[in-house]
Amino acid sequence: MIMKAGILGLPNVGKSTLFNALTRTRKAESANYPFCTIEPNVGIVVVPDWRLARLTQIVKPKEVVPTAIEIVDIAGLVKGASQGEGLGNQFLSNIRLMDALIHVVRCFEDDDVIHNMGSVDPIRDIEVISTELILSDLQSAQAQLDKNIKRARGPDAEAKANVALLTRLLDHLNEGKPANILSIEPEELPRLKQFNLLSSKPIVYACNVAEDELEDADQKNPYVQQVKAYAKMHHDANSCVISAKIESDLVDLAPEEAKEFLAELGVEDSGVSQLIRATYDLLGLASYFTAGEKEVRAWTFVKGMKAPECAGIIHTDFQKGFIKAEVVSFEDLDKYGSYSAAREAGRYRLEGKEYPFKDGDVVLFRFNV
């Protein structure tokens, strides 16, 4: 199961540099002019998970396989994108294909890096992107409302429910508010999702800071403080601090060298690992593990999935012939140090078809084909 997260933002805010850092490649062109990225770049990003190292200590496998998400570097949006400015229609259609968004916001001053709007102002930048998404959604929602009004003249209950929600949604969007903060009932969420609106997608903000500002950026960088407060208040969204420049410098370093380099800067992490984990959580994803002598592997599942569905992630035969799942939590396996000790402590159990998987479950499936 691979979910897609799209990196977006204005031109020259560090999107392509961040993409290269996340995917540990030089795949995305990074240049000091707008639209150096036109076709979206795609890369697979490993989700950092310290639990894999502990499981490796316990079972000593031949191989370790982490889980991953797909990251897409979408070209920079500009003001007027919803009206086709700056290849806007193409870029907006790329965003529509994403499951979640990473909005890179420039939070550093540098006279050598052109800002396409002439100055550094992260709140203005957020509002420009948000406005373009909302304007695009207004067009889409109005078109969908018109279609549903026609259908609702008959006995179509679905169309009537769509009309009610779309009418509220249009009022909300016209106030300049993104769809993801519309107040709706839990049972309305699937209906909202089917409208496939750009501003309804879950989003996390990446505050891109200069190399020498990464340490204590939360306390010392006023741009970062502004973004964190604004994103939470107006978009109900979280923010991470990253330095795309530092991560770009780390691409060619071995892990130990990278650790030393960061230590010299006074930090343990440039923030990219935190951003990847935040994106994973934003997508509503979690991990369960299989751990044996052959391999330790992390498997991605959507929170709320039950045991047979999670078994099907490994192979459809596992789901079709599901009998039981042998389950121990990572915390218990970590605490007791072995399967046998966890079993003796009564922490190893059998779960049936209605069991909802939890993040960190270590599992062996019983199935019959």
Side-chain angles (χ1 to χ4, degrees):
M1 177 186 297
I2 295 287
M3 304 287 272
K4 291 183 179 181
I7 301 176
L8 77 160
L10 294 176
N12 297 343
V13 296
K15 296 186 314 302
S16 295
T17 304
L18 176 61
F19 173 84
N20 289 335
L22 286 168
T23 58
R24 288 289 184 263
T25 69
R26 301 287 183 186
K27 193 173 184 178
E29 183 179 3
S30 180
N32 192 18
Y33 56 87
F35 311 122
C36 65
T37 302
I38 296 177
E39 291 299 324
N41 293 294
V42 180
I44 301 298
V45 176
V46 167
V47 177
D49 197 326
W50 67 272
R51 295 172 297 187
L52 287 170
R54 175 60 179 141
L55 289 172
T56 299
Q57 290 177 341
I58 293 171
V59 302
K60 299 177 175 55
K62 294 177 182 176
E63 188 178 7
V64 179
V65 183
T67 191
I69 57 175
E70 188 174 292
I71 297 289
V72 182
D73 177 26
I74 298 169
L77 287 176
V78 295
K79 191 173 183 179
S82 60
Q83 304 301 320
E85 292 293 326
L87 304 178
N89 291 331
Q90 178 182 343
F91 301 160
L92 291 168
S93 66
N94 290 331
I95 294 172
R96 205 173 297 282
L97 299 173
M98 300 300 112
D99 298 300
L101 302 174
I102 300 168
H103 185 164
V104 181
V105 186
R106 178 169 167 175
C107 293
F108 65 90
E109 300 276 0
D110 188 338
D111 293 337
D112 294 329
V113 180
I114 300 166
H115 192 296
N116 82 307
M117 297 191 74
S119 63
V120 178
D121 184 342
I123 302 306
R124 176 205 60 206
D125 294 356
I126 290 173
E127 290 178 341
V128 167
I129 297 292
S130 180
T131 297
E132 294 307 320
L133 300 186
I134 290 169
L135 287 172
S136 177
D137 284 347
L138 277 166
Q139 297 173 27
S140 175
Q142 185 63 59
Q144 293 185 69
L145 177 60
D146 293 343
K147 288 179 184 177
N148 278 279
I149 286 174
K150 291 177 182 177
R151 288 170 44 207
R153 288 171 186 154
D156 192 329
E158 277 294 303
K160 287 180 170 65
N162 286 342
V163 167
L165 182 54
L166 283 164
T167 301
R168 284 165 47 212
L169 181 62
L170 280 164
D171 290 341
H172 178 83
L173 293 170
N174 273 311
E175 292 176 359
K177 298 175 182 177
N180 70 323
I181 61 168
L182 176 69
S183 179
I184 60 175
E185 298 300 322
E187 59 269 20
E188 292 180 299
L189 280 171
R191 191 175 303 281
L192 178 63
K193 189 173 182 180
Q194 77 181 12
F195 299 147
N196 197 21
L197 301 176
L198 303 181
S199 68
S200 69
K201 295 183 183 295
I203 190 166
V204 62
Y205 289 88
C207 303
N208 188 15
V209 302
E211 185 174 353
D212 59 355
E213 295 180 340
L214 184 60
E215 187 179 12
D216 298 325
D218 284 336
Q219 288 76 38
K220 296 181 180 178
N221 186 315
Y223 292 142
V224 170
Q225 294 168 353
Q226 290 169 25
V227 170
K228 284 181 173 283
Y230 185 90
K232 181 55 70 176
M233 179 178 293
H234 295 279
H235 296 271
D236 192 26
N238 291 325
S239 308
C240 298
V241 177
I242 55 104
S243 174
K245 175 62 171 65
I246 289 178
E247 278 295 331
S248 182
D249 293 339
L250 297 176
V251 168
D252 298 320
L253 298 181
E256 284 306 313
E257 292 175 317
K259 199 171 182 179
E260 290 175 12
F261 180 75
L262 289 171
E264 289 173 6
L265 295 171
V267 294
E268 293 183 5
D269 188 349
S270 70
V272 164
S273 294
Q274 180 190 356
L275 177 61
I276 295 171
R277 288 190 293 268
T279 305
Y280 193 67
D281 188 60
L282 192 67
L283 288 163
L285 304 177
S287 298
Y288 75 83
F289 305 99
T290 51
E293 292 182 2
K294 183 179 178 182
E295 71 172 20
V296 164
R297 181 186 288 254
W299 300 89
T300 298
F301 70 98
V302 176
K303 292 174 183 176
M305 272 188 171
K306 294 185 178 179
E309 295 175 284
C310 288
I313 292 167
I314 298 178
H315 198 286
T316 53
D317 285 348
F318 283 31
Q319 182 170 357
K320 290 175 185 175
F322 178 87
I323 300 172
K324 291 283 185 181
E326 299 180 21
V327 182
V328 59
S329 71
F330 169 80
E331 290 76 14
D332 285 334
L333 192 55
D334 177 35
K335 177 181 177 180
Y336 293 104
S338 70
Y339 286 121
S340 58
R343 189 177 285 109
E344 288 174 10
R347 307 307 297 171
Y348 198 89
R349 61 194 191 276
L350 284 177
E351 299 288 358
K353 292 181 178 180
E354 294 304 309
Y355 173 69
F357 263 45
K358 298 178 177 61
D359 183 57
D361 279 347
V362 185
V363 184
L364 176 66
F365 291 108
R366 294 184 185 178
F367 66 101
N368 182 29
V369 178

